């Protein structure tokens, strides 16, 4: 992980770079198909008025920001070639927080290292960061949920379940993944769909080996502000696609904001703002560069910290800039396990023999480990505003101890032999050779 530096607005950056955000809390209700799961009725803490004080979670938000930069750059390598993609680093970060709470030993240390925080920081600051993210608007919202789903009858530890609920706003749900797999998957699917306002409707295909699933959902919706798009262009603009083709269409016209474009190495950047202050940053490649070339962690970080310098006091000049850009949608649906392994050093969590989640769940005689990390994102930008949703599902499975071929042998001591007698600690009490038994 890169060296941490303080950001000017940790929350704004994390939300902006995620490119798809956050979903509200709720408890699934039975609809005649939901008998396969039961919710712990003492779910996530009820949200009340919250005064946001960034200093209360500055270290954690810095870790989330650096993770967001690196994860965003890494995601382009696993996105479908030639297609728009959007991921939510914040959703993945929240899901890793749950995994860190459930893990022990080197498994836990690797996860915390990937997150760029200590366990003490995570537990001390998570609550304030989480509460600060859950806000409602007149015409939208920014919200998230955490939940843990456990196969019915598993041996889980009350202490860890309490910590997940109280410190991570993460209620427990049980589902019968073994005997009633279809209904269990339907329950998870309906839950995620509800939390993401219908933007994500996916069968996660959690099989009968599923022991647990750690789930974060995120949902965001906001309308443009006076500085955001105020309509469409009368003329059509030509948009050059990555494959060299060109398409003409009317673009959205943004309002003018105080500030000058940021000039980075190989790109130019500015933003359009929503009613509630969320900024959609654009990184436009310069001639001779591609979007792939400039979509790097260091550039994302630089843009997030940019002072657009709209006022030149010395020369008494004020600069205003606007963006004209197309409507677009971007999405992602895939397993980010490999990215977390190779890019962030999370290894043991995915290793059937090394994963240690024993503080959370135990299956005697079996190995429990995370098989995959499913990440799904949908992000839409149009004339009305921005709407995005994401879900991250860490799927934990049980791996039975391997079966061995059984071979039986007999030692026939039928000739001169040596021997020794040792105590329970291995101390040799007697030793010798028997040459004759006559």
């Amino acid at each position: 992980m890169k060296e941490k530096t303080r950001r000017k607005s940790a929350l704004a950056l994390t939300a902006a770079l995620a490119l798809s955000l956050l979903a509200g809390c709720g408890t699934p209700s039975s609809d005649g198909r939901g008998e396969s799961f039961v919710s712990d009725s003492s779910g996530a803490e009820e949200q009340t008025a919250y005064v946001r004080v960034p200093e209360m979670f500055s270290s954690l938000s810095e870790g989330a920001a650096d993770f967001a930069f690196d994860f965003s750059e890494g995601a382009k390598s696993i996105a479908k070639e030639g297609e728009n993609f959007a991921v939510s680093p914040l959703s993945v970060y929240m899901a890793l927080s749950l995994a860190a709470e459930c893990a022990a030993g080197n498994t836990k240390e690797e996860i915390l290292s990937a997150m760029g925080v200590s366990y003490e920081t995570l537990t001390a600051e998570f609550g304030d960061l989480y509460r600060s993210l859950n806000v409602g608007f007149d015409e939208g919202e920014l919200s998230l949920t955490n939940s843990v789903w456990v196969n019915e009858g598993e041996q889980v530890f009350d202490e860890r379940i309490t910590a997940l609920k109280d410190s991570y706003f993460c209620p427990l749900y049980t589902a019968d993944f073994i005997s009633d797999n279809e209904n269990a998957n339907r329950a998870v699917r309906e839950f995620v769909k509800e939390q993401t306002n219908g933007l994500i409707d996916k069968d996660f295909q959690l099989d009968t080996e599923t022991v647990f699933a750690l789930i974060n959902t995120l949902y965001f919706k906001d309308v443009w502000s006076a500085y955001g798009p105020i309509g469409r262009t009368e003329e059509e603009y030509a948009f050059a696609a990555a494959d060299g083709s060109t398409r003409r269409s009317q673009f959205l016209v943004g309002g003018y904001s105080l500030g000058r474009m940021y000039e980075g190495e190989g790109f130019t950047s500015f933003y359009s703002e929503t009613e509630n202050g969320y900024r959609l940053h654009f990184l436009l490649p310069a001639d001779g560069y591609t979007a792939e070339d400039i979509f790097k962690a260091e550039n994302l970080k630089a843009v997030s910290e940019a002072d657009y310098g709209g006022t030149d006091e010395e020369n008494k000049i004020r600069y205003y800039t606007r963006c004209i850009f197309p409507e677009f949608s971007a999405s992602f649906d895939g397993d980010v396990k490999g990215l977390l392994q190779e890019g962030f050093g999370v290894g043991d969590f995915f290793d059937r023999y090394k994963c240690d989640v024993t503080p959370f769940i135990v299956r005697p005689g079996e190995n429990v480990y995370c098989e995959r990390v499913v990440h799904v994102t949908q992000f839409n930008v149009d004339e009305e505003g921005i709407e995005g949703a994401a879900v991250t599902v860490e799927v934990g499975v049980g791996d039975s101890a391997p079966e061995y071929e059984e071979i039986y042998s007999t030692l026939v001591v039928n000739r001169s032999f040596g021997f020794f007698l040792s105590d329970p600690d291995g101390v040799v009490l007697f030793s010798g050779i028997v040459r004759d038994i006559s």
Side-chain angles (χ1 to χ4, degrees):
M1 299 296 293
K2 296 180 174 61
E3 182 179 353
K4 307 296 180 291
T5 57
R6 187 171 299 275
R7 297 184 311 152
K8 293 186 176 180
S9 177
L11 174 60
L13 175 74
T14 304
L17 282 183
L19 294 187
S20 60
L21 305 168
L22 314 172
C25 295
T27 301
S29 57
S30 175
D31 59 359
R33 302 174 302 178
E35 294 84 356
S36 62
F37 73 95
V38 179
S39 168
D40 181 340
S41 60
S42 57
E45 178 181 297
E46 186 72 21
Q47 295 299 301
T48 57
Y50 178 78
V51 178
R52 183 174 181 272
V53 182
E55 290 76 11
M56 296 172 66
F57 48 84
S58 61
S59 295
L60 184 59
S61 61
E62 286 172 13
D66 283 342
F67 179 87
F69 305 136
D70 293 332
F71 187 86
S72 297
E73 180 180 352
K76 68 182 180 183
S77 67
I78 59 174
K80 292 182 179 179
E81 187 174 354
E83 296 185 6
N84 297 348
F85 85 91
V87 293
S88 174
L90 185 57
S91 176
V92 178
Y93 197 82
M94 289 288 165
L96 286 175
S97 298
L98 305 182
E101 180 58 37
C102 293
N106 195 59
T107 304
K108 187 188 200 82
E109 292 305 314
E110 286 183 346
I111 295 171
L112 291 170
S113 176
M115 297 175 64
V117 295
S118 67
Y119 181 65
E120 292 72 23
T121 295
L122 179 62
T123 55
E125 299 185 8
F126 185 91
D128 287 307
L129 177 59
Y130 178 94
R131 285 190 292 268
S132 76
L133 291 169
N134 280 281
V135 291
F137 313 137
D138 290 339
E139 299 183 70
E141 64 179 307
L142 171 63
S143 56
L144 70 161
T145 63
N146 290 324
S147 61
V148 53
W149 296 69
V150 176
N151 182 52
E152 278 188 5
E154 299 294 343
Q155 181 183 343
V156 294
F157 293 98
D158 290 341
E159 180 181 356
R160 200 58 50 210
I161 295 301
T162 299
L164 287 169
K165 182 187 69 176
D166 293 346
S167 299
Y168 298 86
F169 311 92
C170 181
L172 168 69
Y173 301 99
T174 60
D176 190 351
F177 290 106
I178 297 177
S179 302
D180 197 5
N181 186 261
E182 182 178 353
N183 270 334
N185 273 284
R186 183 180 292 118
V188 172
R189 179 175 188 167
E190 291 299 320
F191 176 81
V192 171
K193 182 179 178 180
E194 179 182 357
Q195 304 311 312
T196 59
N197 201 32
L199 282 188
I200 297 177
D201 182 8
K202 177 182 173 64
D203 181 359
F204 294 95
Q205 299 181 349
L206 306 178
D207 61 29
T208 56
E209 298 299 314
T210 301
V211 178
F212 68 86
L214 300 172
I215 301 178
N216 171 267
T217 61
L218 304 95
Y219 179 74
F220 174 76
K221 184 176 182 180
D222 200 5
V223 297
W224 296 115
S225 70
Y227 306 108
I230 56 177
R232 299 178 184 274
T233 59
E234 292 184 2
E235 71 277 22
E236 292 185 340
Y237 282 74
F239 182 81
D243 63 2
S245 63
T246 300
R247 178 182 177 182
R248 301 188 67 85
S249 66
Q250 292 178 309
F251 280 19
L252 303 179
V253 182
Y256 285 98
S257 296
L258 181 65
R260 286 182 284 185
M261 288 180 280
Y262 175 82
E263 299 291 343
E265 183 177 350
F267 72 96
T268 301
S269 178
F270 203 67
Y271 63 89
S272 276
E273 194 166 64
T274 67
E275 181 66 30
N276 292 281
Y278 295 89
R279 292 180 173 184
L280 178 59
H281 294 267
F282 300 96
L283 284 76
L284 180 67
D287 290 342
Y289 291 83
T290 68
E292 298 283 335
D293 295 333
I294 56 93
F295 195 77
K296 299 178 179 178
E298 61 191 82
N299 292 338
L300 300 176
K301 183 180 180 68
V303 169
S304 73
E305 297 177 340
D307 180 356
Y308 290 99
T311 302
D312 181 348
E313 293 291 355
E314 182 178 352
N315 296 302
K316 301 302 180 184
I317 301 174
R318 287 180 177 171
Y319 296 90
Y320 295 89
T321 304
R322 69 175 180 176
C323 296
I324 296 178
F325 56 95
E327 288 186 341
F328 66 92
S329 294
S331 62
F332 182 89
D333 186 347
D335 188 349
V336 298
K337 167 185 169 181
L339 175 55
L340 293 175
Q341 285 176 309
E342 297 171 15
F344 295 88
V346 180
D348 285 9
F349 189 44
F350 305 115
D351 190 308
R352 69 182 62 195
Y353 302 113
K354 296 180 180 179
C355 180
D356 186 354
V357 289
T358 52
F360 166 55
I361 195 166
V362 169
R363 270 192 166 189
E366 295 191 24
N367 303 305
V368 178
Y369 65 101
C370 184
E371 179 185 50
R372 54 196 169 108
V373 181
V374 182
H375 184 66
V376 184
T377 296
Q378 182 62 48
F379 185 73
N380 305 320
V381 174
D382 59 23
E383 191 173 359
E384 298 298 321
I386 302 173
E387 184 177 28
V391 61
T392 304
V393 182
E394 296 169 320
V395 185
V397 299
D399 178 44
S400 300
E403 295 183 2
Y404 294 92
E405 178 185 4
E406 295 180 338
I407 299 177
Y408 300 88
S409 302
T410 301
L411 173 64
V412 180
V413 185
N414 58 3
R415 50 189 174 273
S416 176
F417 61 92
F419 75 94
F420 72 89
L421 175 70
S422 64
D423 75 0
D425 294 322
V427 177
V428 176
L429 306 182
F430 299 93
S431 65
I433 296 176
V434 174
R435 296 191 174 98
D436 186 4
I437 59 172
S438 60

